[in-house]
Amino acid sequence: MGTGKLPIKNLLRKPGRTCALVLLTAFLALAVFGGSVVVRSLRGGLNSLEARLGADIIVVPGEMASKVDLKELFLQGTVGEYYMKASALDKVREVEGVEIAAPQTYLTSLKADCCAVKVQIIGIDPGVDFTVKPWIDRSLSRDLGDMELAVGCKVSTGVGENLRIYDRSCRVVAKLAETGTGFDTAVYCNMDTMKTLLAAAEEKGIVHRLTSDNGDRISAIYVKVAPGYDVSDIEVRLAAHVRKTKTVRTRTMITDVSESLAGIARTVSLLAVAVWALAFVVLLIAFAMMIAERRREFAVLRLLGTSRGGLTGLILTETALCSLAGGLLGVGVASLAVFPFTTLIESRLGLPYLTPSTGTVLALAGTTLLVTLLVGAIASAFAAWRLSRVDPGTTLREGA
Amino acid sequence: MSMVLRAENLSKQYFRKTGQANCFYAVKDASLALNSGEVTVLMGRSGSGKTTLLHMLSGLLTPTEGKVWLGETDVYGLNDKALSRLRNGKLGVIPQGRSAIDTLTALENILLPAQLAGKGGDIEAAKRWMAALGIEHLSDAMPAELSGGELRRMAIARALAQAPEVILADEPTGDLDDENTERVLTVLRDTAKSDGRAVLIVSHDSEAARYADHVYRMDGGELSPARTTGMN
Ligand SMILES: Nc1ncnc2c1ncn2[C@@H]1O[C@H](COP(=O)(O)OP(=O)(O)OP(=O)(O)O)[C@@H](O)[C@H]1O
Ligand SMILES: [Mg+2]
C-alpha cells in the first residue's frame, strides 16, 4: 500500500520536529565534510610541494640563516636574495653519488604590474633542471627562451602577454599548476634571462655586484642523489667538499611536516569518527524517540491498511528527506566556511594548502551525503523493525 | 442474512502477575458471528476484555488460540501484505481513544484509507458521512483543533467512508452527548440495514443495546449472549 504524499505532509506540517532532525544531520555533515576537505587540502599542498622541490638535498650559500629559517622558507615557497659563486656547482658535481645538480638563482622584485605582492624571480637551467622543468613541460613543449617566463598560477599576467621586471620586458609563455605555496607567485626564466635581470637590478642598486665573479651566480643547487647512495652520506660528503655552503635535506623537511600533518590528520579523523559515532548514537536515539512518540500514529496507519513494508517505507522516506536536506545544508555551510577562506587557513596553519580538485570535492560531498543517508536509514530501519515486532492492537491499547 | 465475520474459540493470554498465576486470559474461548445487515452490541465492565476481542476480530492482534474467519478467509493465516489489504478494504475499525493522523486535516484523515489503497477517495461520500455525523463544517480543521467528540465522529466517518463489509467500533459514543450518541448509533444501524454491513459496537452504554440485533456480555474474558432481539 502506498503512502503517497503522506511523508511530505508529515514533514511540512510538523516543522519543529523536521527542523530538529535536519539541523542534527546538517551539523554532522558539516563536521565530516569540512574536516575531510581541510585534511585533503593539507595533504594536497604537501604532495605538490614535494613534487616541486623534488630534490634530495638543496645546497645553499653558507651565510644563509639557520636551517629552521630555511625550512620555513622552502615550505612556504619564498626565496631570498643570497648568492654563491657558480664554481660551487662544479664542486657539487665532483662529489660521488650526485646524479644531477641543477642550479637556481633567485631575485625578488617589489614592483611588477602583475601582482600586489612581491614577485619572486627564479632562474633555472632548462638543460639540467628536474624540479620546475616537468611542471613547465606540461604547458610548454620547448625550453624557455631568452626573455621568456613561465609564471605561477597566482600571477595575473596571462600567457602571450608581457611582464615588465626592472624595466625589462619579458614574455609570458606558460602558466604553472597551483602548489598552494609562495611558488604560486613566482616567475621562472632561464639563466641568461636571469643574468639580464640581475644586471638591471644592479643598475638600480638593488642587488650588489659580486666583486670576484663575472656575473654568474647561483642561489641554490638542487641535488638528486644517484640510486644506491645514502642521502645522509652524500650530505656529509657535500659539506666536506664544497666549502662555504649549507645543505638542506628536503625529504626530512617534508617528512617532518608530513608527520605533524599525519598527526593533525589523525586528530581530525579521530574527531570525525567520534563525531560520527556520537552522531550515529544521537540520530539513533532521536529517531527512536521520534518513532516512540509516533507509535500510536503508526499503529493507526497499520489499522487503516498500511503493510509493514509500507510503514517502513514511510519512515525511511521521511528520514531520507530529512537526512538529504540536512546533508546538503551541512555540506553547503561547510563549503561557505572553508572555500572562501582558503588563504586565511593557509596563513594560519603556515603549511602548504591546496584545495582538492572539483571532482574530489564533489566526491567528498557525495560520500558525506551517502553516509548521512545511510546513518538515517539504519537508524530508522532499526526503529521500524522494532515497531513491526509488536501487534498494532497492542500499541493501540497503550495510553488510549 | 449471510455470516461475514466469525470468531472460533478465540483466546488471548497475557503474561502478568495476578495473584499466584503468572499469566491470565484477557479473552477466553470466545466464539461469535457477525452477520451482514445486523448490529451486534458487546457490553461489559472495564477490563473485561472487550477491546482485546475487537482487536483480534480486526486482524490487529494475533490470538493465542482460535481462528477468525472473514467469509472463507482465515484472517490470521494471511501474510502481512494480504492482511493489510484486507483491513484496508473490508474492515472498518474505529479504535478506542484518539486515532487521528495529526498532520492531516479531518477530510484528509477520512480519505486516507482510500489513498493508502492507491485510489483518490470519494470526496462527496466522505462529506456525506461527515454531514450525517454533524461534522461537515470541520473538513479543513486539523485534529489538534478538534474536540474529543469531534475526533470520535471523524474516526467513525473514516471507517464508514471505507465502505467495508464489517464495521468494528470500540466505544464509538464514549465522548458524546445524548444527541450525538443517538446520531452515531442511528448512522451505524442505518448502514447495517441499508448497505448490508455487519456492525459490532462495543459499549458501556445501555442505550446502545436498544439499537442491537444481538447483545453479548463480556465478563472476565468470558463471552456470553445476553439477548437476541433488537428494537425492531
Ligand atoms: N498487553 C497487555 N499485557 C498485559 N495485560 C493486558 C494487555 N492488554 C490488555 N491487558 C489486560 O487485559 C484485560 C482486558 O483488557 P481490555 O482492554 O480488553 O479491556 P476492556 O474491556 O476493553 O476495558 P475498557 O472498557 O476499560 O476499555 C485488562 O485487564 C488488561 O489489563
Ligand atoms: Mg476497551
Side-chain angles (χ1 to χ4, degrees):
Chain A
M1 301 261 160
T3 44
K5 293 205 185 75
L6 192 58
I8 309 270
K9 283 181 183 159
N10 282 341
L11 291 177
L12 293 182
R13 293 181 186 175
K14 287 275 181 190
R17 185 172 71 198
T18 309
C19 278
L21 288 176
V22 167
L23 286 179
L24 191 66
T25 29
F27 168 72
L28 304 169
L30 182 133
V32 171
F33 178 70
S36 331
V37 167
V38 170
V39 171
R40 283 282 181 132
S41 301
L42 289 172
R43 283 210 173 288
L46 215 63
N47 286 343
S48 92
L49 184 69
E50 187 169 9
R52 183 67 70 95
L53 289 175
D56 298 312
I57 300 167
I58 302 174
V59 181
V60 294
E63 84 253 25
M64 272 299 295
S66 69
K67 282 197 178 185
V68 182
D69 289 339
L70 267 183
K71 277 189 188 179
E72 272 174 17
L73 224 59
F74 282 104
L75 264 182
Q76 279 158 24
T78 49
V79 295
E81 265 142 17
Y82 45 87
Y83 304 101
M84 54 191 163
K85 290 179 189 169
S87 56
L89 182 59
D90 299 325
K91 283 278 190 186
V92 167
R93 284 178 176 153
E94 285 165 20
V95 173
E96 194 200 335
V98 170
E99 190 182 8
I100 308 175
Q104 289 194 357
T105 307
Y106 304 142
L107 179 64
T108 53
S109 166
L110 286 176
K111 267 182 63 190
D113 32 351
C114 66
C115 321
V117 292
K118 62 179 179 181
V119 183
Q120 315 178 58
I121 306 151
I122 301 177
I124 58 165
D125 178 352
V128 291
D129 187 81
F130 59 94
T131 58
V132 190
K133 185 81 185 337
W135 295 70
I136 298 176
D137 285 347
R138 289 191 200 167
S139 46
L140 190 68
S141 52
R142 56 183 170 83
D143 284 347
L144 281 173
D146 286 350
M147 302 313 277
E148 284 184 344
L149 299 177
V151 300
C153 71
K154 284 189 183 150
V155 174
S156 64
T157 314
V159 171
E161 291 171 10
N162 285 335
L163 181 59
R164 283 189 82 75
I165 303 170
Y166 294 119
D167 283 340
R168 301 290 190 280
S169 178
C170 300
R171 192 173 169 74
V172 175
V173 292
K175 194 156 246 186
L176 306 181
E178 195 177 2
T179 61
T181 67
F183 288 127
D184 290 336
T185 55
V187 306
Y188 298 87
C189 59
N190 69 17
M191 284 301 189
D192 285 339
T193 312
M194 194 65 191
K195 241 183 256 177
T196 313
L197 292 176
L198 269 171
E202 279 167 10
E203 268 168 37
K204 292 193 174 269
I206 292 162
V207 184
H208 294 295
R209 193 177 292 272
L210 286 185
T211 42
S212 57
D213 212 321
N214 57 347
D216 275 347
R217 42 185 155 180
I218 50 183
S219 304
I221 302 166
Y222 281 61
V223 173
K224 185 171 224 162
V225 172
Y229 286 89
D230 185 60
V231 177
S232 36
D233 283 352
I234 305 296
E235 197 181 7
V236 173
R237 278 187 221 168
L238 280 171
H241 191 71
V242 192
R243 287 173 48 232
K244 288 193 188 168
T245 59
K246 264 189 177 162
T247 53
V248 190
R249 286 268 301 277
T250 50
R251 283 280 144 70
T252 40
M253 181 168 89
I254 288 173
T255 314
D256 283 354
V257 181
S258 278
E259 263 163 23
S260 71
L261 184 63
I264 298 172
R266 217 174 302 130
T267 315
V268 173
S269 315
L270 224 79
L271 273 177
V273 168
V275 168
W276 273 119
L278 195 75
F280 186 79
V281 173
V282 169
L283 270 183
L284 207 70
I285 294 172
F287 283 113
M289 272 168 58
M290 184 267 278
I291 288 169
E293 183 210 89
R294 296 173 65 185
R295 282 168 67 90
R296 191 168 174 82
E297 175 189 338
F298 294 140
V300 169
L301 285 174
R302 295 276 284 133
L303 169 132
L304 296 177
T306 309
S307 63
R308 253 184 223 133
L311 189 62
T312 307
L314 172 90
I315 295 173
L316 282 179
T317 309
E318 284 190 29
T319 316
L321 288 173
C322 279
S323 319
L324 199 66
L328 284 173
L329 185 70
V331 168
V333 171
S335 303
L336 286 182
V338 170
F339 297 121
F341 301 110
T342 301
T343 329
L344 186 71
I345 298 174
E346 189 178 325
S347 66
R348 273 288 159 83
L349 293 174
L351 289 169
Y353 186 92
L354 186 62
T355 306
S357 67
T358 319
T360 312
V361 170
L362 287 179
L364 279 177
T367 313
T368 307
L369 285 180
L370 209 75
V371 175
T372 321
L373 275 174
L374 211 67
V375 172
I378 292 173
S380 54
F382 176 69
W385 170 77
R386 276 193 33 182
L387 199 71
S388 73
R389 284 175 12 120
V390 182
D391 276 329
T394 308
T395 313
L396 276 174
R397 253 191 40 90
E398 288 169 6
Chain B
M1 291 288 133
S2 65
M3 187 160 58
V4 182
L5 190 76
R6 188 158 49 90
E8 224 171 55
N9 308 104
L10 276 187
S11 295
K12 185 71 191 180
Q13 197 172 27
Y14 281 123
F15 294 91
R16 192 181 67 187
K17 274 239 181 303
T18 37
Q20 281 105 20
N22 246 341
C23 55
F24 75 104
Y25 282 96
V27 173
K28 194 164 169 44
D29 212 20
S31 296
L32 170 81
L34 302 180
N35 301 321
S36 73
E38 288 184 359
V39 176
T40 305
V41 168
L42 176 60
M43 308 198 35
R45 289 219 303 276
S46 181
S48 58
K50 304 183 297 294
T51 297
T52 306
L53 177 62
L54 183 129
H55 281 163
M56 288 193 289
L57 295 174
S58 318
L60 293 168
L61 185 67
T62 316
T64 313
E65 288 150 40
K67 285 198 163 163
V68 178
W69 297 90
L70 184 73
E72 298 300 308
T73 313
D74 175 2
V75 170
Y76 288 96
L78 298 173
N79 66 21
D80 179 68
K81 226 174 165 168
L83 177 56
S84 300
R85 206 173 305 125
L86 185 125
R87 275 202 295 265
N88 180 267
K90 300 199 167 168
L91 302 175
V93 182
I94 300 148
Q96 196 170 8
R98 282 182 59 100
S99 66
I101 303 297
D102 288 336
T103 49
L104 301 179
T105 65
L107 183 62
E108 286 170 336
N109 259 286
I110 292 168
L111 295 172
L112 185 58
Q115 249 136 39
L116 291 176
K119 297 180 233 152
D122 186 343
I123 296 180
E124 289 314 307
K127 292 208 158 160
R128 258 198 319 277
W129 287 121
M130 290 179 87
L133 293 163
I135 51 167
E136 69 274 26
H137 56 294
L138 299 172
S139 286
D140 296 325
M142 298 304 284
E145 303 158 357
L146 299 181
S147 77
E150 287 163 344
L151 285 171
R152 211 87 267 284
R153 283 177 282 160
M154 188 205 80
I156 297 165
R158 182 171 60 195
L160 291 166
Q162 282 175 269
E165 286 178 24
V166 183
I167 293 172
L168 300 152
D170 200 348
E171 308 207 9
T173 59
D175 297 305
L176 301 180
D177 55 88
D178 290 348
E179 189 188 328
N180 277 310
T181 298
E182 206 182 305
R183 169 136 66 179
V184 164
L185 291 174
T186 307
V187 166
L188 287 173
R189 183 174 177 81
D190 288 351
T191 192
K193 296 302 164 198
S194 51
D195 304 323
R197 314 276 183 241
V199 178
L200 175 71
I201 300 172
V202 168
S203 181
H204 293 292
D205 204 334
S206 52
E207 174 75 6
R210 297 209 298 113
Y211 292 78
D213 299 300
H214 308 276
V215 179
Y216 286 87
R217 281 205 69 83
M218 199 75 174
D219 205 353
E222 309 256 2
L223 185 71
S224 55
R227 169 167 72 80
T228 9
T229 47
M231 74 191 230
N232 321 9

